[in-house]
Amino acid sequence: EAGVVQSPRYKIIEKKQPVAFWCNPISGHNTLYWYRQNLGQGPELLIRYENEEAVDDSQLPKDRFSAERLKGVDSTLKIQPAELGDSAVYLCASSLQGELFFGEGSRLTVL
Amino acid sequence: QKEVEQNSGPLSVPEGAIASLNCTYSDRGSQSFFWYRQYSGKSPELIMSIYSNGDKEDGRFTAQLNKASQYVSLLIRDSQPSDSATYLCAVILGSASKIIFGSGTRLSIRP
């Protein structure tokens, strides 16, 4: 069974540029999460989807971040414009009965 | 008060000894608890889940839950150098059904 797939693995951009991350969850997992992880910290929840519905986006900085999960499968997380403080690893996870399965993450560096 | 708290460490344990990792949580209504292991530069991977008070054993790992004290712990017996990693405690908050992580405890097993 294929795991959670994320791309790109690494992205380096200049501040004020846009960036997008893509996630394909494990087949059959209806719940999808985007987390942000800074060095030395635990993952911080950005948004949670149940199928195509965003059921918790209270931690998503909506002025510059957006996310979508069309058709309840793949998801995209976008940042526009990026700021220096957005440098982090962006983790996508899908869930079955509360147990999270993470992708390899997308490491963003904003210069 | 943080929703999920862990001692950041580092916790240094000699090879072959028992490593004890602790986590407290603030939401008394929480019902599901998880331990994830994260190697440097990698994504978190699930090692244990626990839902009921008491102990749950899986190989060298034992998770302990005390809901009255809002405390969950992970014991690693016969610690090996390969156990050196950051251990993340995660809780499904009872009030919101979202999975929140602690900041992680860095464990180092010394030969």
Side-chain angles (χ1 to χ4, degrees):
Chain A
E1 178 182 288
V4 177
V5 179
Q6 288 188 249
S7 67
R9 289 291 313 279
Y10 304 93
K11 189 74 176 180
I12 301 173
I13 61 172
E14 294 189 345
K15 63 181 181 182
K16 300 185 181 180
Q17 294 300 306
V19 63
F21 305 111
W22 175 81
C23 173
N24 180 246
I26 294 173
S27 177
H29 285 194
N30 294 331
T31 309
L32 183 147
Y33 299 78
W34 282 102
Y35 285 88
R36 176 171 61 189
Q37 187 173 28
N38 291 302
L39 190 65
Q41 299 295 315
E44 172 195 358
L45 179 65
L46 293 175
I47 190 167
R48 172 169 67 102
Y49 282 94
E50 294 289 347
N51 297 305
E52 66 272 13
E53 182 182 359
V55 296
D56 186 351
D57 63 356
S58 57
Q59 299 291 95
L60 192 71
K62 298 182 183 61
D63 57 335
R64 298 183 299 107
F65 286 64
S66 64
E68 61 181 11
R69 190 184 184 197
L70 300 177
K71 300 181 182 178
V73 181
D74 295 2
S75 178
T76 302
L77 177 69
K78 297 179 181 178
I79 309 174
Q80 183 172 10
E83 297 180 352
L84 295 176
D86 296 332
S87 295
V89 176
Y90 291 83
L91 294 165
C92 177
S94 64
S95 172
L96 189 64
Q97 297 179 343
E99 297 182 351
L100 293 178
F101 297 85
F102 285 90
E104 293 184 299
S106 295
R107 182 179 295 277
L108 173 66
T109 301
V110 182
L111 302 176
Chain B
Q1 181 187 12
K2 290 184 178 179
E3 293 164 312
V4 181
E5 295 205 56
Q6 296 181 253
N7 188 320
S8 62
L11 175 65
S12 181
V13 173
E15 185 175 355
I18 296 175
S20 178
L21 304 160
N22 305 315
C23 172
T24 58
Y25 58 95
S26 61
D27 188 338
R28 188 171 288 278
S30 301
Q31 297 293 325
S32 303
F33 308 87
F34 308 89
W35 283 100
Y36 289 80
R37 178 176 60 200
Q38 186 172 28
Y39 291 114
S40 180
K42 301 294 186 183
S43 294
E45 56 178 335
L46 179 69
I47 51 174
M48 291 284 288
S49 58
I50 187 166
Y51 307 99
S52 303
N53 277 329
D55 295 359
K56 179 181 178 183
E57 187 174 318
D58 184 0
R60 295 185 297 111
F61 298 96
T62 298
Q64 299 175 317
L65 175 61
N66 183 326
K67 291 183 180 179
S69 299
Q70 295 175 238
Y71 177 94
V72 58
S73 65
L74 179 71
L75 301 178
I76 307 175
R77 290 183 299 281
D78 188 23
S79 296
Q80 303 296 310
S82 60
D83 295 326
S84 296
T86 295
Y87 289 80
L88 296 161
C89 173
V91 176
I92 297 183
L93 297 183
S95 57
S97 298
K98 61 184 181 181
I99 302 175
I100 300 298
F101 285 82
S103 58
T105 298
R106 189 156 50 95
L107 174 66
S108 176
I109 307 300
R110 57 181 190 271

